[in-house]
Amino acid sequence: MKKIVITLFLVLFTSSVYAGSCPMMAKSIDDKIAEAQMLRDQGMAAHDAGDHAKSEELLGNAMELFKS
């Protein structure tokens, strides 16, 4: 009985500790999305200007943000 109470206690408090990290994780995702959008816009502007090498570099950098 004592082991069950201790296990239940640990499970309840462990899950509440991780609940506080959700907003931080969401902000990290939002920051990556904003940076990727900026790189995408710059890449498409370079494409429209005819600088395809720069466009591929910028768009590649945007894609790399989601690999890590």
Side-chain angles (χ1 to χ4, degrees):
M1 182 69 170
K2 185 177 179 181
K3 288 183 182 182
I4 293 173
V5 171
I6 290 172
T7 303
L8 183 61
F9 182 77
L10 289 174
V11 169
L12 289 175
F13 282 103
T14 303
S15 62
S16 66
V17 169
Y18 290 118
S21 66
C22 295
M24 291 184 295
M25 293 172 68
K27 177 153 177 27
S28 176
I29 291 169
D30 291 343
D31 291 345
K32 282 189 177 188
I33 290 170
E35 187 176 353
Q37 184 66 46
M38 182 188 67
L39 288 169
R40 181 225 179 263
D41 293 343
Q42 291 174 354
M44 290 309 297
H47 170 78
D48 292 341
D51 190 356
H52 298 288
K54 183 70 172 175
S55 175
E56 288 182 13
E57 177 187 342
L58 290 166
L59 294 172
N61 289 342
M63 294 290 289
E64 287 294 319
L65 289 174
F66 295 103
K67 292 183 179 179
S68 58

